[in-house]
Amino acid sequence: MSKYKVTVVIVNYNKEPYISQCIESVINQSLQPIEIIIVDDGSTDNSGIISNRYAVAHPHVRYLTQENNGVSSARNKGLSYAQGEYVAFLDADDYVPADAYERLYKAAVQSDADTAVGNFECFNEYRTWHLAYMKKVFAKGLPAVRHISTHKELHLTPSVSNKLFRREWLLNQKIVFQENLQIGEDLLFAQNALHLSNKTVMCNYPVLHYRVNEEEQTLSKQTTLAFFEQLVLVQKELKQLYDSLHRQNVLVHIEKRQLDFFLSSLFQKAAAFSKEQLHELLIISHAFVHTLTEKNLLDQLDSKNRLLSQIIIQKDYERFVKFLSSFCKDSFTNELVQQDQKVYSKLVEEYPAYAPWLEIHSLQAEHRIEVIRLEGSNLTIGGYAFVKGLSTEDIQKELVFKSKMETKIISLENELRTDVSYLFAHNKINYHHAGFKTITINLVNLLQNGSWNVFLRLKAGGKTVDEPLQVILAQLRNHAKPNMTHNVEVSASFSANSQMSVRVKKVNFLEKCISKLTGIKRAVRYDMSFLKKRDYHTFSAIVLYKLFNQLYRNKNIWLIGERKDTAQDNSYHLYTYIRTNHPHQNAYYVIDKNAEDYQRIKHLGNIVHFNSLKHTFYLLVSQKTINSYSEASNMYTKAYKNIVKYYPEWQQNEKVFIQHGVIGVSRVNHVLHKNRMNYSQFVVSSPFEKKHIVKEFGYEDKEVVVTGLARWDALQDISKGNEILVMPTWRNWIKTEKQLFESDYWNRYMALFKNPDFNRILEERDLTVTFFPHYQMQQLIKSFPVLGERIRIARQGEETVQSLLKRHSILITDYSTVSFDFAYMNKPVFFYQFDYDEFYSKHYNEGPINHKKDLFGERAEEEQALINLLEKHPVSANKRAKQISNYIIKEEGRSHSQLLFQQLSGGK
């Protein structure tokens, strides 16, 4: 019997910053006894010294050394010394949870399995995440005990660090790491072990914290020909392995993985190679493709990879260079074209000689159901759908109901959805007419008794695609609960992959009662689930609603808010107007009681504390909810989201969006479309803006109200003429402080503040600068640098945005809509737009207002050009006033808040 339950072999090479965390995570395992063998692969830093100290202090820790021969050699050495019943392998920059090996060991012993596989999570200094492919490995419905020969998803987990292996069995089967491999050594070992294993037991629990170190220079991260040569060698070794196992028939699964990896690596790394190296790379690539046993894998590739594979097969050097060069510049789209009644990848226009491999035989559709309701016998449905790659300019859409005996078809009317082109094709493919107008169908009048599967039928360019209709969101599905009308029950059901079917069934009195009772029992179970979880907040809100819903609905409650911690924007100004001029209106303001802005609004009264029980209850019973930001993200409690997810019919309030900026510079219909937000009223700043919202956001003319922004009422120029406000908007591709400091965005502004000419102008004209970083920037940065005597950084909460706008005489921004507020006071705005194309492709979709030509201020793309504009200041005030009048309204005698309140109250 083994002395230890598990031996953990830790391989170290120059991991001094991480080695202690790794070793201690194994020493402190809940599983005991456990053996630790640290193999140092010729380290030149102090990690070896640290490792030896642990070996001296702990009798179950052993320290071995060798010359630098690679990780495979080191693991084999550790394995040869191991005494545990099972063995695990760990890299010295990773670490494991305290119960990792106990979970794996128990699972292996209970199932008498030779191998055990756990889940893992990746991390770096900024975040933690899970790899998407591991969801397939641990998908619901799969058995805990499996074998790779019958479960192809096990090919997706090549690492050895999230696994346990029975030691004696490894030795008997002579399973070791291939020491001639520098890439894929884990893969080959795992493949061998999983095939020869009697069984593999799965443990869906993170047993490994895998460090992603972007600065580490391993061969897999280097751009060298040796990297691709190693992939060819791995492929040859895999073929030999499967031949020896007599399992050539299942080689296809791992070959598909390796082919995908090889081709994606070409796209990632080819840009760094010289033309001479690209010639060698083509030869290596040809050798790789030639080693594939399953040649039909090439036919299963997408058009881009299929073309590349054929170029490789034909050793077409000229096109190989051209093709990889174009993709390294990210010039590819998935657009399709039609020629001679056939559909091809758009690549056929540049590579006509490869047309046979670029023909598309199976079209794919994409759709999203955004609106669905089942009320009585009426089914209401809305959303968008398109054929991937094909323009929607001439698309026809139909809703199709199919039973075993017949088919019913309803035509759908196209609706403009420019956001779909932006979201799915970066505006490179015309999906503008992907939307279909929300339609209501009486199912009892349309369908015979029985079950009907529902499809979206798309017709484009002579091609027809039937797409099973899917409703992904549970909250939407709950809008389609069974309904009874007269003696007919209409119900919708959804399969495991969310595909929808409907059933029409005549019922008798007893069946009616049973159906109603079933619904009540289902609701009670849901309500009681919160009590069992001790979520008294949600449970209490449900009880209060059921008891007092009607009473409080009659109170005509208006719930007003912004972000949970702010009272500065249009919502604040509207609320101030209402409490001052119409105190009898039952209006309440939602804000966190610990927010700094709480102190500036609490004197108005009727404050509801964010995330309180009262907050959740008032959300359920209010007549109107009013917000200048996204309501769901900024105003809803977790309890409220839980409740309306199951009881969507309780959400009866009128949702009013009063904005926090002028829409038109950017297209944000992918966020604010009627099908997504379902606002009852959408407040805008001008007839121009209203026209845009009605055209592209799915709202009817009567739902879009022109009143201007409430915050404009308080805009009064109090500047002294010597203050510059620098206020850029955000870049949503920046996620961490490190990314921010390395970004062109940050460095451009820092360079401006340090520019000698800029500072000279400040001195000569006695100017001061206030830099107000965006809210998201302030969330990331721990401390800001000192920028100079005349440049001050304003932090969130120190001063309101409106106060900053009022007391400064010049605004420098990029794309922020605060420029409209500033220009409203007829003060000069300078637009510093150094990343225009990137911003309007990665952050926002460019709107109908051309930010280069149509705005009310001077524009610069370079630092010196901006400084020159400041040198030439002032700018023509008449020109500014004329331009700003296109995008805002001013009505003498009535404030914007007054106009807005009258609209909300139904007055004139």
Side-chain angles (χ1 to χ4, degrees):
M1 187 173 178
S2 299
K3 181 179 179 181
Y4 300 102
K5 293 177 179 177
V6 170
T7 296
V8 182
V9 177
I10 301 174
V11 174
N12 170 60
Y13 177 71
N14 288 344
K15 301 296 184 185
E16 182 179 348
Y18 317 118
I19 187 71
S20 292
Q21 182 185 29
C22 176
I23 296 172
E24 288 184 11
S25 74
V26 184
I27 287 175
N28 296 321
Q29 284 293 294
S30 58
L31 180 70
Q32 295 296 333
I34 195 168
E35 179 185 34
I36 303 171
I37 299 178
I38 307 165
V39 184
D40 189 274
D41 188 34
S43 294
T44 56
D45 62 2
N46 292 322
S47 56
I49 298 173
I50 296 170
S51 301
N52 191 48
R53 287 174 184 163
Y54 281 101
V56 171
H58 300 275
H60 62 292
V61 177
R62 189 167 189 170
Y63 176 59
L64 307 175
T65 63
Q66 67 175 34
E67 294 183 1
N68 184 228
N69 291 323
V71 65
S72 294
S73 172
R75 285 173 176 167
N76 286 338
K77 184 168 186 173
L79 178 58
S80 69
Y81 281 86
Q83 301 176 56
E85 182 183 352
Y86 284 83
V87 63
F89 301 97
L90 187 61
D91 292 333
D93 53 350
D94 301 332
Y95 68 99
V96 290
D99 58 349
Y101 295 124
E102 181 178 11
R103 287 177 178 267
L104 284 173
Y105 178 78
K106 283 184 176 179
V109 171
Q110 287 172 3
S111 300
D112 189 28
D114 291 332
T115 52
V117 178
N119 212 330
F120 66 93
E121 58 185 25
C122 304
F123 74 100
N124 57 24
E125 58 182 309
Y126 306 109
R127 65 189 183 102
T128 300
W129 69 98
H130 292 89
L131 294 176
Y133 65 74
M134 291 302 288
K135 292 181 181 179
K136 298 179 181 178
V137 176
F138 291 100
K140 288 183 179 179
L142 292 174
V145 178
R146 309 175 208 167
H147 195 275
I148 194 171
S149 61
T150 53
H151 285 271
K152 62 182 181 180
E153 73 278 355
L154 292 183
H155 292 281
L156 297 173
T157 172
S159 174
V160 296
S161 297
N162 65 327
K163 298 176 176 65
L164 273 191
F165 306 92
R166 200 192 304 265
R167 184 180 62 84
E168 285 293 335
W169 164 79
L170 284 179
L171 297 177
N172 291 337
Q173 296 291 344
K174 299 180 180 178
I175 300 174
V176 293
F177 291 90
Q178 293 282 81
E179 297 187 12
N180 61 333
L181 291 179
Q182 295 173 279
I183 292 174
E185 68 279 354
D186 274 34
L187 170 68
L188 200 64
F189 185 96
Q191 284 281 304
N192 199 358
L194 291 175
H195 274 289
L196 291 175
S197 173
N198 66 338
K199 63 185 79 167
T200 298
V201 63
M202 309 302 291
C203 178
N204 190 7
Y205 179 83
V207 299
L208 172 70
H209 297 292
Y210 176 78
R211 188 184 305 273
V212 178
N213 189 346
E214 299 296 338
E215 298 176 359
E216 189 178 43
Q217 289 301 306
T218 59
L219 180 59
S220 62
K221 294 180 180 178
Q222 294 174 7
T223 303
T224 63
L225 292 173
F227 168 83
F228 291 96
E229 289 171 337
Q230 282 278 303
L231 290 181
V232 176
L233 182 57
V234 171
Q235 177 60 21
K236 291 179 178 178
E237 295 285 354
L238 283 169
K239 283 183 67 175
Q240 290 181 13
L241 172 63
Y242 276 72
D243 286 344
S244 67
L245 296 172
H246 303 292
R247 288 184 177 166
Q248 297 91 336
N249 60 320
V250 292
L251 178 59
V252 60
H253 303 304
I254 193 60
E255 280 199 335
K256 182 182 186 306
R257 181 191 182 280
Q258 292 304 98
L259 174 62
D260 291 342
F261 181 68
F262 189 94
L263 294 177
S264 64
S265 297
L266 285 176
F267 291 122
Q268 292 171 8
K269 299 175 182 286
F273 289 121
S274 66
K275 288 190 175 182
E276 293 76 14
Q277 288 175 315
L278 283 173
H279 189 272
E280 289 186 59
L281 182 59
L282 176 57
I283 295 171
I284 296 169
S285 301
H286 184 271
F288 179 87
V289 173
H290 184 69
T291 62
L292 292 174
T293 302
E294 302 292 337
K295 295 296 192 290
N296 63 344
L297 285 174
L298 302 177
D299 298 327
Q300 300 170 21
L301 297 170
D302 61 27
S303 56
K304 179 182 72 170
N305 285 308
R306 195 160 60 243
L307 174 57
L308 177 58
S309 66
Q310 290 303 319
I311 289 173
I312 290 170
I313 288 171
Q314 298 184 30
K315 292 187 178 180
D316 189 341
Y317 172 72
E318 181 181 340
R319 289 184 176 86
F320 183 73
V321 173
K322 174 187 174 183
F323 189 63
L324 289 177
S325 174
S326 66
F327 280 100
C328 289
K329 295 175 184 175
D330 195 28
S331 62
F332 175 73
T333 71
N334 290 311
E335 188 171 1
L336 305 179
V337 296
Q338 292 184 297
Q339 296 179 2
D340 302 324
Q341 301 299 311
K342 294 181 178 180
V343 178
Y344 295 91
S345 163
K346 192 174 176 62
L347 290 166
V348 76
E349 295 176 351
E350 287 189 71
Y351 301 90
Y354 290 88
W357 295 281
L358 293 173
E359 184 179 355
I360 307 300
H361 298 284
S362 177
L363 297 178
Q364 293 182 299
E366 180 84 30
H367 75 277
R368 182 184 177 98
I369 300 303
E370 300 167 311
V371 176
I372 187 166
R373 290 189 300 275
L374 187 57
E375 298 167 321
S377 60
N378 290 326
L379 174 67
T380 301
I381 194 164
Y384 60 77
F386 58 93
V387 177
K388 292 181 181 179
L390 283 180
S391 168
T392 58
E393 195 166 354
D394 299 314
I395 194 170
Q396 293 177 300
K397 293 186 277 289
E398 296 171 339
L399 193 61
V400 180
F401 297 86
K402 294 182 181 181
S403 71
K404 293 180 179 179
M405 304 297 294
E406 59 181 323
T407 298
K408 296 289 186 178
I409 299 173
I410 302 292
S411 294
L412 300 172
E413 185 180 350
N414 286 342
E415 183 177 50
L416 185 66
R417 290 296 297 267
T418 54
D419 58 312
V420 179
S421 297
Y422 167 65
L423 290 171
F424 291 92
H426 302 291
N427 294 319
K428 294 180 180 179
I429 304 174
N430 180 1
Y431 292 146
H432 287 7
H433 296 89
F436 57 90
K437 289 189 176 179
T438 300
I439 187 173
T440 299
I441 306 156
N442 188 304
L443 295 180
V444 171
N445 293 343
L446 178 69
L447 307 177
Q448 299 294 323
N449 282 355
S451 294
W452 299 76
N453 293 321
V454 189
F455 297 82
L456 279 170
R457 178 169 290 170
L458 309 178
K459 297 178 179 179
K463 302 290 184 180
T464 299
V465 180
D466 277 3
E467 177 81 354
L469 190 142
Q470 293 179 298
V471 182
I472 304 299
L473 297 178
Q475 183 169 344
L476 284 177
R477 294 198 294 267
N478 284 327
H479 271 291
K481 293 174 183 174
N483 274 253
M484 200 76 63
T485 174
H486 302 297
N487 293 322
V488 178
E489 183 183 58
V490 180
S491 60
S493 59
F494 303 91
S495 66
N497 57 355
S498 303
Q499 292 182 10
M500 179 180 177
S501 60
V502 297
R503 188 180 69 162
V504 178
K505 180 186 177 183
K506 288 185 178 180
V507 292
N508 56 36
F509 177 76
L510 179 59
E511 289 172 321
K512 277 186 185 180
C513 294
I514 292 173
S515 178
K516 190 168 184 178
L517 182 61
T518 300
I520 294 172
K521 288 171 64 177
R522 190 185 303 117
V524 169
R525 279 199 305 269
Y526 185 77
D527 298 349
M528 295 303 295
S529 69
F530 294 106
L531 199 57
K532 290 179 180 178
K533 291 184 288 189
R534 298 186 180 181
D535 183 354
Y536 303 122
H537 180 155
T538 305
F539 180 77
S540 299
I542 291 172
V543 172
L544 287 172
Y545 179 84
K546 290 183 176 181
L547 291 174
F548 303 112
N549 165 38
Q550 200 55 53
L551 174 64
Y552 275 82
R553 280 205 181 279
N554 294 334
K555 292 178 180 290
N556 191 23
I557 293 170
W558 294 7
L559 212 55
I560 303 176
E562 295 172 1
R563 294 188 177 109
K564 69 176 183 178
D565 58 350
T566 64
Q568 301 182 13
D569 214 309
N570 296 311
S571 300
Y572 165 72
H573 289 283
L574 172 64
Y575 186 71
T576 301
Y577 171 82
I578 293 173
R579 295 296 293 159
T580 303
N581 297 282
H582 303 277
H584 298 298
Q585 172 58 52
N586 238 346
Y588 295 83
Y589 196 91
V590 178
I591 190 169
D592 190 321
K593 64 182 178 181
N594 296 316
E596 293 183 13
D597 282 355
Y598 178 79
Q599 299 303 319
R600 63 194 304 266
I601 197 172
K602 69 176 183 178
H603 70 280
L604 294 172
N606 279 14
I607 304 301
V608 173
H609 295 157
F610 190 92
N611 207 34
S612 63
L613 178 59
K614 184 177 182 179
H615 180 194
T616 300
F617 179 62
Y618 273 25
L619 281 168
L620 289 167
V621 299
S622 60
Q623 287 291 332
K624 297 182 190 294
T625 48
I626 304 166
N627 205 300
S628 49
Y629 290 84
S630 170
E631 182 175 299
S633 302
N634 295 283
M635 204 170 186
Y636 292 174
T637 64
K638 182 180 179 182
Y640 179 72
K641 291 177 183 178
N642 285 333
I643 293 168
V644 298
K645 180 179 180 180
Y646 186 79
Y647 295 109
E649 66 274 13
W650 290 7
Q651 197 170 25
Q652 298 177 21
N653 55 296
E654 296 179 20
K655 296 196 289 185
V656 183
F657 182 55
I658 60 175
Q659 294 202 56
H660 58 277
V662 175
I663 294 175
V665 173
S666 303
R667 274 186 170 89
V668 290
N669 45 347
H670 64 288
V671 177
L672 298 174
H673 194 275
K674 174 75 172 177
N675 285 353
R676 291 178 63 85
M677 305 307 296
N678 195 30
Y679 289 121
S680 302
Q681 288 183 290
F682 197 120
V683 176
V684 297
S685 305
S686 67
F688 171 90
E689 191 179 9
K690 176 173 181 174
K691 182 179 178 181
H692 173 53
I693 300 302
V694 171
K695 181 181 178 183
E696 296 194 21
F697 286 62
Y699 291 89
E700 297 180 15
D701 186 86
K702 64 182 180 181
E703 295 173 320
V704 184
V705 181
V706 182
T707 68
L709 305 185
R711 70 182 185 219
W712 288 347
D713 294 333
L715 287 178
Q716 181 182 2
D717 182 12
I718 58 173
S719 61
K720 299 176 181 178
N722 65 336
E723 311 94 345
I724 299 174
L725 175 62
V726 180
M727 191 173 173
T729 192
W730 188 234
R731 307 296 189 272
N732 64 12
W733 60 85
I734 298 173
K735 305 297 184 183
T736 66
E737 185 184 64
K738 181 181 179 183
Q739 289 176 349
L740 174 63
F741 288 153
E742 292 176 351
S743 69
D744 186 47
Y745 169 64
W746 170 264
N747 290 315
R748 288 272 193 165
Y749 284 101
M750 293 303 104
L752 173 66
F753 296 143
K754 294 175 184 177
N755 186 293
D757 289 335
F758 180 73
N759 284 279
R760 173 182 55 78
I761 294 172
L762 300 183
E763 288 289 341
E764 290 177 355
R765 300 189 183 179
D766 192 25
L767 300 173
T768 60
V769 173
T770 302
F771 176 44
F772 186 64
H774 189 274
Y775 180 87
Q776 297 292 342
M777 184 188 293
Q778 298 204 31
Q779 297 299 303
L780 291 182
I781 294 182
K782 300 179 179 67
S783 60
F784 282 88
V786 176
L787 300 176
E789 293 183 2
R790 291 185 173 269
I791 303 173
R792 182 181 76 88
I793 295 175
R795 299 303 300 256
Q796 195 77 30
E798 294 177 354
E799 190 173 359
T800 67
V801 171
Q802 191 167 70
S803 172
L804 290 167
L805 295 175
K806 288 160 63 174
R807 72 174 183 81
H808 286 80
S809 53
I810 298 172
L811 173 66
I812 296 175
T813 187
D814 41 20
Y815 317 98
S816 175
T817 56
V818 296
S819 59
F820 289 86
D821 298 60
F822 209 80
Y824 186 93
M825 294 179 283
N826 203 23
K827 296 194 288 189
V829 181
F830 294 94
F831 295 97
Y832 185 27
Q833 299 177 345
F834 49 83
D835 59 352
Y836 191 93
D837 292 336
E838 186 178 26
F839 182 84
Y840 281 118
S841 62
K842 293 171 65 175
H843 186 92
Y844 275 140
N845 192 15
E846 189 171 13
I849 300 175
N850 188 311
H851 221 141
K852 290 183 178 180
K853 301 176 182 177
D854 297 338
L855 289 184
F856 30 80
E858 302 293 342
R859 176 179 177 274
E861 293 185 356
E862 299 297 334
E863 182 179 317
Q864 194 56 49
L866 175 63
I867 292 170
N868 292 342
L869 289 174
L870 288 170
E871 194 105 61
K872 294 175 184 177
H873 177 67
V875 181
S876 168
N878 291 332
K879 178 182 177 183
R880 292 198 303 273
K882 183 178 180 181
Q883 288 175 312
I884 191 64
S885 66
N886 294 328
Y887 309 119
I888 66 172
I889 64 162
K890 290 186 180 181
E891 186 170 331
E892 297 297 329
R894 287 194 295 177
S895 68
H896 298 291
S897 296
Q898 184 180 359
L899 285 170
L900 178 52
F901 179 76
Q902 289 173 349
Q903 288 288 342
L904 295 175
S905 303
K908 301 266 187 175

